[in-house]
Amino acid sequence: VCAVDVMGAINGFGQAMYYLQMAVTQCSDQLNLRAMCGAGIDGMVSALAGSGAGGTAAWLNCYEAYGWESKDGELKRNKIKAKAQQVVMTAKVNGLKQEGNFGRRLEALDDNENIRELRQRFGSPEAAWKSIGVDMEDPNAAFRSARAAVDPEELVSLVGAQEQD
């Protein structure tokens, strides 16, 4: 969790420096190539840090907190480990309260009647997903290997020049 916080902080400061340097290039009457170059470098560094924070958080949530283990080249879920890890991860993430990437922005909706009804009906997010045919606990589920079929010519046609009437 520390890595997520550190990379998130680097991302935040990098984005702030990027926007300040871009303001210098966009708002002045003179071309400032140093500020533009600095903005490009800061943008790349902060984007890499943001990707690292997102990737680490996804790994923590999807792999570690749900108890996935690789044994003999096969991915299996250890439900006992998953419960223990979820308790530990919840304590770590809740330590941030409303700060950082893990703050709960929907807290005001916790007392909402519709939310209570959904919780009563399904019991867990996994049960809600399962009700529409998506088994989140199945490591071989079809959605995990689904890929969008993209026609390259159709994609290129989207950015082509428009025809004049």
Side-chain angles (χ1 to χ4, degrees), residues 133-146:
V134 178
D135 186 357
M136 299 300 279
E137 295 179 348
D138 180 7
N140 300 315
F143 74 89
R144 296 187 190 280
S145 61

Side-chain angles (χ1 to χ4, degrees), residues 67-83:
W68 292 106
E69 297 176 334
S70 180
K71 289 187 178 178
D72 300 325
E74 192 174 327
L75 196 61
K76 293 188 176 189
R77 184 162 186 240
N78 182 333
K79 291 187 180 187
I80 295 170
K81 180 184 173 190
K83 275 295 177 201

Side-chain angles (χ1 to χ4, degrees), residues 39-116:
I41 292 169
D42 286 334
M44 287 188 300
V45 169
S46 63
L48 286 171
S51 297
T56 304
W59 177 80
L60 282 169
N61 187 40
C62 299
Y63 185 81
E64 190 71 20
Y66 280 91
W68 292 106
E69 297 176 334
S70 180
K71 289 187 178 178
D72 300 325
E74 192 174 327
L75 196 61
K76 293 188 176 189
R77 184 162 186 240
N78 182 333
K79 291 187 180 187
I80 295 170
K81 180 184 173 190
K83 275 295 177 201
Q85 282 296 93
Q86 286 175 359
V87 170
V88 171
M89 293 299 297
T90 301
K92 287 180 180 178
V93 171
N94 284 344
L96 296 172
K97 301 293 181 208
Q98 294 297 322
E99 307 301 324
N101 298 328
F102 295 108
R104 178 136 168 84
R105 294 172 295 281
L106 300 175
E107 197 168 290
L109 295 176
D110 280 347
D111 290 331
N112 184 303
E113 184 178 324
N114 293 333
I115 301 295
R116 277 183 290 189

Side-chain angles (χ1 to χ4, degrees), residues 118-128:
L118 286 171
R119 284 185 178 150
Q120 186 177 16
R121 181 174 171 197
F122 295 110
S124 71
E126 289 84 5

Side-chain angles (χ1 to χ4, degrees), residues 22-43:
M22 285 305 289
V24 168
T25 65
Q26 298 294 319
C27 300
S28 68
D29 292 333
Q30 297 176 342
L31 179 63
N32 187 334
L33 294 177
R34 286 185 175 178
M36 191 176 288
C37 179
I41 292 169
D42 286 334

